[in-house]
């Protein structure tokens, strides 16, 4: 169902209510998408269905946003104060910039940023797994699909870790330490 059809349905719904002189008991937007049975109660989050249903115009909008964000060049600045004036110097050589040019053997910065933004728009969360060397310096970044990741809560630290489970497989869940995952989230 496209955006134009949704607008027509909404208009038809409003006309029906006006012609029959009925009070709206169902939120018309909720009714458009078939959630009228659960209206008034929060529906449980199912990120797998969010990813599966991210198609048509919604996908195109999200994909265009992701492409726009991925095209923005990464820059690092060093802040300094000279003669009571704030000055920002562009740093052109940095390990982070090197890592982002080739994030892992299969992805570059552009692909990583597109996937990160798409998962943020679809699920409200995105995850990077930082693969570190023996000195704990990040050497690779892997994007983990947001619908595969679960947060392990902790009473004192808020998050004890993360667990990745590939849906549809009888694979063993893979645990991650908090410091090895970069968790991006949309507030709300």
């Amino acid at each position: 169902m496209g955006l134009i059809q949704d607008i027509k349905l909404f208009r038809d719904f409003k006309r029906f209510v006006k012609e029959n002189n009925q009070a709206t008991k169902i939120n018309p937007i909720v009714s458009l998408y078939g959630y009228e049975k659960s209206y008034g109660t929060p529906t449980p989050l199912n990120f797998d269905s969010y990813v599966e249903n991210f198609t048509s115009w919604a996908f195109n909008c999200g994909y265009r946003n992701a492409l726009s964000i991925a095209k923005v060049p990464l820059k690092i600045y060093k802040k300094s104060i000279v003669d009571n004036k704030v000055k920002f110097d562009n740093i052109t050589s940095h390990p982070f910039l090197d890592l982002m040019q080739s994030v892992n053997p299969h992805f570059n910065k552009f692909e990583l940023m597109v996937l990160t933004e798409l998962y943020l728009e679809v699920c409200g969360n995105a995850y990077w797994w930082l693969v570190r060397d023996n000195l704990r310096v990040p050497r690779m970044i892997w994007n983990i699909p947001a619908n595969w990741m679960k947060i392990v809560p902790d009473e004192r630290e808020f998050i004890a870790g993360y667990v990745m489970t590939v849906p549809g497989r009888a694979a063993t869940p893979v645990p991650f330490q908090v410091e090895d995952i970069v968790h991006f989230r949309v507030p709300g």
Side-chain angles (χ1 to χ4, degrees):
M1 189 177 290
L3 178 62
I4 301 299
Q5 289 173 311
D6 289 350
I7 293 169
K8 287 178 182 176
L9 277 173
F10 179 73
R11 191 179 61 226
D12 292 342
F13 178 81
K14 291 299 240 185
R15 189 179 310 128
F16 171 78
V17 169
K18 188 176 181 181
E19 289 172 0
N20 293 304
N21 210 8
Q22 296 181 7
T24 56
K25 295 178 182 165
I26 296 176
N27 182 328
I29 299 298
V30 171
S31 138
L32 285 176
Y33 294 101
Y35 296 117
E36 61 272 358
K37 293 177 186 151
S38 64
Y39 183 65
T41 60
T43 55
L45 297 177
N46 182 349
F47 294 126
D48 289 330
S49 68
Y50 288 179
V51 173
E52 290 169 9
N53 291 314
F54 194 56
T55 57
S56 80
W57 63 271
F59 174 78
N60 286 327
C61 292
Y63 189 63
R64 284 180 181 255
N65 288 344
L67 290 176
S68 297
I69 288 171
K71 289 178 185 176
V72 175
L74 289 178
K75 294 186 178 185
I76 298 176
Y77 292 96
K78 180 181 179 186
K79 179 181 174 181
S80 59
I81 299 175
V82 178
D83 297 330
N84 290 331
K85 293 182 181 179
V86 177
K87 181 180 174 187
F88 294 95
D89 296 319
N90 187 11
I91 297 175
T92 57
S93 179
H94 192 276
F96 177 73
L97 295 173
D98 297 338
L99 177 62
M100 290 303 288
Q101 289 308 310
S102 177
V103 296
N104 64 51
H106 300 284
F107 293 125
N108 57 27
K109 172 226 168 224
F110 185 82
E111 294 164 325
L112 177 71
M113 297 305 285
V114 167
L115 288 172
T116 301
E117 180 58 25
L118 281 174
Y119 280 113
L120 276 172
E121 291 205 19
V122 174
C123 301
N125 293 291
Y127 301 93
W128 288 358
W129 171 30
L130 302 178
V131 179
R132 301 173 188 269
D133 63 12
N134 291 339
L135 298 174
R136 304 290 299 151
V137 176
R139 294 296 178 199
M140 286 191 284
I141 302 172
W142 289 92
N143 181 56
I144 297 178
N147 54 321
W148 293 8
M149 193 66 88
K150 300 289 183 251
I151 298 171
V152 178
D154 184 73
E155 288 182 11
R156 288 188 302 128
E157 301 294 326
F158 191 61
I159 296 175
Y162 298 88
V163 175
M164 179 182 74
T165 306
V166 180
R169 294 190 180 177
T172 306
V174 179
F176 292 98
Q177 298 296 321
V178 173
E179 61 268 8
D180 291 332
I181 298 294
V182 179
H183 183 184
F184 300 94
R185 48 193 160 261
V186 175

